[in-house]
Amino acid sequence: MESGSVFSRRAQTGKRRGPRGLRSALSNGSGPSEGKDLLTVAAIPAAGVTRLLALAARLKTLRRRRALHQPLRGMTLGLLFEKPSTRTRVSFEAGMSQLGGQSLFLSAADIQLCRGESIADTARVLSRYLDGLVIRTYDHAIVEEWAREATIPVINGLTDLCHPCQALADLLTIKERKGRLRGIKLAYVGDGNNVANSLIEAAAQTGMAISLACPSGYEPDPRIVKEARAAAAGTGASIELVRDPLLAVKEADVLYTDVWISMGQEREQNRRVKELAPYQLNERLAKEAKPDAIVMHCLPAHRGQEITAGLLDGPQSVVLDQAENRLHMQKAILVELLSGRGAMDSGH
């Protein structure tokens, strides 16, 4: 068992130099202490991902038994969201409560940021009141600034670049359904957005094969792909980008898609729908995957747009498991970061 936080190994080695969007202060030594924050999946060592998955599964079992497990008693988590949310907000609030702590939700309009107070001043003050912060924002550099300035753990609740909590929860769902991660083929079809970026990082850390079919102009972040391919050399993972969705889903174990119009892209709706239409996840594509392939979508979904209702609501769909596992994985993240010790050491 590793000592300390599961998020610390990358900082300890300091070998992986990512692009600015990925290079949190964890690796450049200029900001938060090592292992303090969760900004990307890539910042977590492979062994740390394995440990988080085990802890999340254990917390899920405890929850199913209605067993009292409150390692974060007396702690307060701040939720600072610049974008609306259903799953991220509710799962963090419920999770913190189940772990014995409490949460405090703040929109950007609720604090002095909207009047020009700096992130630095706000982060330093909130660090005196709270035990952790979840930031849901736009530019990834914003969450990095919060992490640099805050002395408490900062968790990326979504940026335009990455959605690490979603990808980690997805790993839990895949492992539950398939019994393993290494060697599993995940086919992602559609917009190469923040979820796709984090799934690429997750695949690289766990030895999965990920094949993404995205139209021109909708590819995942090339810096993330480059970094993930470098990491994949050590885990046996493969990262494949193709144009033809039929190639991506061929013999896949997991079929995955996400919305075509993310928050802030509403003005581009007509163009995006037209250009992404050939990339709908539908029954024709599903026939090319393995017969027992599971269908995933991080929700919210638009039936008849990026995915057909038949697949989303059909017997292969695991979308509700995905949504539930946000709770259990985020509880594992909170325990690791806020308690300063893994729940695996707590004797439960």
Side-chain angles (χ1 to χ4, degrees):
M1 181 186 302
E2 289 185 315
S3 60
S5 167
V6 299
F7 307 109
S8 62
R9 181 60 59 80
R10 187 74 66 203
Q12 291 168 354
T13 62
K15 292 180 179 178
R16 192 172 180 199
R17 303 290 294 180
R20 184 172 184 275
L22 290 179
R23 192 190 309 142
S24 75
L26 287 172
S27 61
N28 63 23
S30 63
S33 59
E34 63 183 36
K36 181 174 77 69
D37 312 299
L38 170 57
L39 304 188
T40 69
V41 177
I44 311 171
V49 174
T50 299
R51 179 165 142 172
L52 270 181
L53 288 167
L55 176 55
R58 190 171 175 180
L59 292 171
K60 185 172 184 175
T61 299
L62 291 173
R63 176 64 182 165
R64 292 283 171 88
R65 293 175 183 167
R66 295 287 172 178
L68 192 64
H69 179 65
Q70 298 186 324
L72 303 186
R73 238 182 343 267
M75 294 187 179
T76 303
L77 177 71
L79 301 169
L80 180 55
F81 283 24
E82 292 189 272
K83 290 183 172 184
S85 165
T86 300
R87 278 151 291 277
T88 301
R89 176 179 176 177
V90 176
S91 55
F92 266 115
E93 289 190 351
M96 194 63 186
S97 175
Q98 291 166 20
L99 292 169
Q102 58 185 331
S103 57
L104 179 67
F105 181 83
L106 296 166
S107 73
D110 292 326
I111 56 179
Q112 299 297 322
L113 280 174
C114 67
R115 297 178 61 208
E117 185 171 23
S118 70
I119 288 177
D121 287 347
T122 309
R124 291 165 188 165
V125 170
L126 293 183
S127 295
R128 302 291 183 100
Y129 302 150
L130 306 172
D131 298 289
L133 267 172
V134 179
I135 305 293
R136 185 176 174 91
T137 186
Y138 293 89
D139 191 337
H140 192 79
I142 294 174
V143 77
E144 290 189 319
E145 184 174 358
W146 277 97
R148 277 196 303 275
E149 302 297 340
T151 58
I152 55 177
V154 171
I155 298 169
N156 178 358
L158 179 143
T159 66
D160 289 348
L161 185 70
C162 294
H163 200 355
C165 294
Q166 179 66 57
L168 289 167
D170 291 340
L171 291 180
L172 178 62
T173 304
I174 295 168
K175 190 171 184 184
E176 286 176 343
R177 291 292 182 146
K178 297 298 178 183
R180 61 189 170 92
L181 295 173
R182 186 176 298 277
I184 290 292
K185 179 181 179 180
L186 187 156
Y188 182 97
V189 178
D191 183 17
N193 59 14
N194 48 4
V195 173
N197 288 334
S198 288
L199 287 172
I200 290 170
E201 293 181 340
Q205 297 293 77
T206 58
M208 292 174 60
I210 185 168
S211 182
L212 301 102
C214 310
S216 178
Y218 294 85
E219 298 90 348
D221 189 289
R223 301 162 300 173
I224 287 180
V225 173
K226 181 180 179 181
E227 285 286 308
R229 282 177 169 158
T235 64
S238 66
I239 317 295
E240 179 186 47
L241 302 183
V242 298
R243 286 276 181 254
D244 187 349
L246 286 171
L247 290 177
V249 303
K250 192 75 175 177
E251 293 299 310
D253 299 285
V254 181
L255 301 173
Y256 202 120
T257 192
D258 192 10
V259 292
W260 290 344
I261 300 99
S262 298
M263 285 174 281
Q265 298 174 330
E266 290 78 9
R267 292 183 178 179
E268 306 170 17
Q269 178 168 344
N270 292 338
R271 175 177 61 81
R272 296 179 70 87
V273 168
K274 180 180 179 181
E275 293 176 347
L276 285 158
Y279 291 81
Q280 182 191 65
L281 187 56
N282 53 37
E283 285 74 4
R284 181 176 65 89
L285 286 184
K287 286 180 181 177
E288 301 296 322
K290 291 180 179 176
D292 63 346
I294 57 174
V295 173
M296 302 183 75
H297 190 304
C298 58
L299 303 176
H302 295 86
R303 292 168 175 78
Q305 198 170 87
E306 75 273 4
I307 189 169
T308 59
L311 278 186
L312 189 73
D313 302 320
Q316 294 175 273
S317 174
V318 296
V319 297
L320 294 181
D321 288 349
Q322 276 184 270
E324 179 186 341
N325 283 338
R326 291 290 304 277
L327 170 69
H328 307 300
M329 176 51 72
Q330 289 164 191
K331 286 170 68 177
I333 293 168
L334 290 171
V335 169
E336 286 287 347
L337 287 181
L338 271 61
S339 70
R341 59 179 174 80
M344 295 175 72
D345 303 324
S346 65
H348 290 273

